[in-house]
Amino acid sequence: NHRHITERLLMTKLLLVTFLATASALKVAGGPVVPQPAVKPSSMSTALQLRGGGMVDQGVWLKAASAFFGLYGVGFLLAPEMTITQNFVVTPDKYHSFFARNIGLCILYTVYLLNYKMDVAAAVPALVAYMAICAVVGPVYAELKLETTPAHKAALLMVPFIVTGLLAL
């Protein structure tokens, strides 16, 4: 019973972080812009401005992160049993496969929307937040609480994508 309460508290905290991260990622710039005194920008910031923003090109990051994330979606949708047994010490049943296919469909639809129905400037922060949330409730949780295979460590490659995504903002 104590374990159930602890896991429930952990999930409650994860949901709270999820909602906060989502809210901040979707926040629309507000308020009037207050004029700042003129300061000569460095050549680095001028180059970043000309290119459109962060240290990492947003368009390139969006495509690379979408490919990485999308491959998981393809695996879950088209080969759910293989994807599950490749990552976890479990024999999947029809319910695992059912949920895995739905997860795959959700991932692929999200990648589609971010790449074809949103502009890059809005899609990048949304995908960074989504990947950060998915990393916590997915691979990180699995590594701490479930029996995973060595191949599951590949899911932690989301971390460099999250870091470079932050650099693209």
Side-chain angles (χ1 to χ4, degrees):
N1 193 12
H2 175 70
R3 180 179 174 180
H4 176 71
I5 292 170
T6 305
E7 287 180 3
R8 186 174 178 156
L9 182 61
L10 174 65
M11 290 308 290
T12 303
K13 288 179 182 179
L14 288 174
L15 282 173
L16 178 61
V17 169
T18 301
F19 290 130
L20 292 174
T22 304
S24 66
L26 299 175
K27 182 180 175 185
V28 178
V33 176
V34 178
Q36 299 293 324
V39 176
K40 184 177 179 182
S42 69
S43 60
M44 177 68 161
S45 65
T46 305
L48 291 175
Q49 261 185 337
L50 287 173
R51 205 185 70 211
M55 296 175 73
V56 174
D57 181 83
Q58 288 188 332
V60 172
W61 182 87
L62 181 61
K63 296 300 178 200
S66 294
F68 175 80
F69 211 44
L71 287 174
Y72 278 98
V74 169
F76 280 118
L77 180 64
L78 300 180
E81 294 86 4
M82 183 191 81
T83 304
I84 292 169
T85 56
Q86 183 178 17
N87 288 284
F88 301 99
V89 182
V90 68
T91 302
D93 60 17
K94 63 184 179 181
Y95 301 102
H96 288 102
S97 300
F98 169 77
F99 281 114
R101 280 191 200 93
N102 280 281
I103 290 167
L105 183 62
C106 291
I107 291 171
L108 292 173
Y109 189 62
T110 300
V111 168
Y112 165 77
L113 290 174
L114 291 168
N115 283 274
Y116 297 103
K117 298 297 180 185
M118 293 178 74
D119 63 273
V120 174
V124 170
L127 186 53
V128 170
Y130 186 52
M131 288 182 92
I133 293 163
C134 287
V136 171
V137 299
V140 172
Y141 180 85
E143 287 294 322
L144 295 173
K145 298 289 187 179
L146 304 174
E147 294 93 29
T148 60
T149 65
H152 184 265
K153 302 275 190 267
L156 297 174
L157 288 173
M158 287 173 91
V159 173
F161 277 107
I162 294 166
V163 171
T164 55
L166 291 170
L167 293 174
L169 298 177

